[in-house]
Amino acid sequence: MEFDTTSDTGWIGDVRELAHELSESSTAFAQATESVSDALFVALRSLPSELSPRSFVRYDRRDAVLLVDLRVAEEDLSGLTMEEQRRLLGPLLLALVSRGSRSRTATWSGEERALIVAEFERMLSRLSWLPDEA
């Protein structure tokens, strides 16, 4: 499964750098999911809260891509270290990928759906984007 990222951010937070970090670490995910012919595209965005940022996920059958658009309010990132931002964004991103993997329009098998989520979670864990389990 191909993987790519982008970001669209204001001045608050490190979302651009975090999107780059995800992109640089995607090789293991792509190799582990190479049996899935589609693509996963993640957009990370930080926007002012007055714009009511709402995340979304959808599978585009025409382009065979799962689009994950994580939008957070800049105010939620204000004052957080990069590590804290990772820990905020990671679970949200994993939840969106998990939801997207259940798309009824995607032609993935149950095993492929589980593989996408498991490998994405593994990538986030390696990057310390998920809270440590107690």
Side-chain angles (χ1 to χ4, degrees), residues 1-5 22-23 25-26 28-30 32-33 40-44 66 68 70 89-98 101 112-127 129-130:
M1 177 174 242
E2 293 179 42
F3 181 88
D4 203 1
T5 64
L22 268 182
S23 185
S25 301
S26 64
F29 172 83
T33 59
L40 172 59
F41 186 77
V42 174
L44 298 179
L66 178 60
V68 175
L70 176 59
L89 299 178
L92 299 173
L93 196 52
L94 180 59
L96 288 172
V97 169
S98 181
S101 74
E112 288 172 325
R113 293 170 194 272
L115 177 66
I116 292 166
V117 174
E119 291 302 324
F120 195 77
E121 183 174 12
R122 185 171 289 124
M123 179 178 69
L124 292 177
S125 291
R126 277 193 301 260
L127 292 170
W129 280 49
L130 298 175

Side-chain angles (χ1 to χ4, degrees), residues 33-50:
T33 59
E34 67 185 354
S35 63
V36 182
S37 61
D38 300 345
L40 172 59
F41 186 77
V42 174
L44 298 179
R45 305 178 197 275
S46 65
L47 304 164
S49 61
E50 64 261 12

Side-chain angles (χ1 to χ4, degrees), residues 70-87:
L70 176 59
R71 299 174 181 196
V72 296
E74 290 176 330
E75 294 80 357
D76 292 343
L77 299 174
S78 181
L80 297 181
T81 66
M82 189 178 265
E83 180 64 28
E84 291 168 329
Q85 290 175 59
R86 283 185 190 100
R87 299 297 173 113

